[in-house]
Amino acid sequence: MTIDDEEAAGAAILMDTLPDRHRTVLRLRLAHRLPAVEVARILGTNVDAVLLLQHSALNHLRRQLAAGERIDGDSPAGGRH
C-alpha cells in the first residue's frame, strides 16, 4: 500500500488539528520511532504522561476521521479501503 499526495496532505491537515504537545508526541513516537521513555526525557515529563498524550492524540484523530466520514458520506481515503 502506498500513500498518495492527497492522502499525505489529508494526514498533515489532521495532524495540524492537534495541540502542539500531542502532535510532538505522535511525531516522536510514530515518525521517529522513539520509545516513550526517550520522548519523556526530551519533553521533560514522565512516561505515563507521554502515553496519555499519545492515547489522547490518536483518539482525537479517530474522532476527526469519523466526523469527516459522516459529513462527506465517504471514507476519508476517497472511498478506498
Side-chain angles (χ1 to χ4, degrees), residues 34-71:
L34 293 178
V37 68
E38 182 65 13
V39 174
R41 186 191 66 73
I42 291 168
L43 297 178
T45 189
N46 61 54
V47 172
D48 288 338
V50 167
L51 295 176
L52 184 61
L53 285 166
Q54 179 179 332
H55 180 76
S56 176
L58 291 172
N59 280 337
H60 177 86
L61 294 176
R62 284 184 194 104
R63 285 190 303 273
Q64 293 294 339
L65 287 170
E69 238 179 274
R70 283 193 303 270
I71 292 168

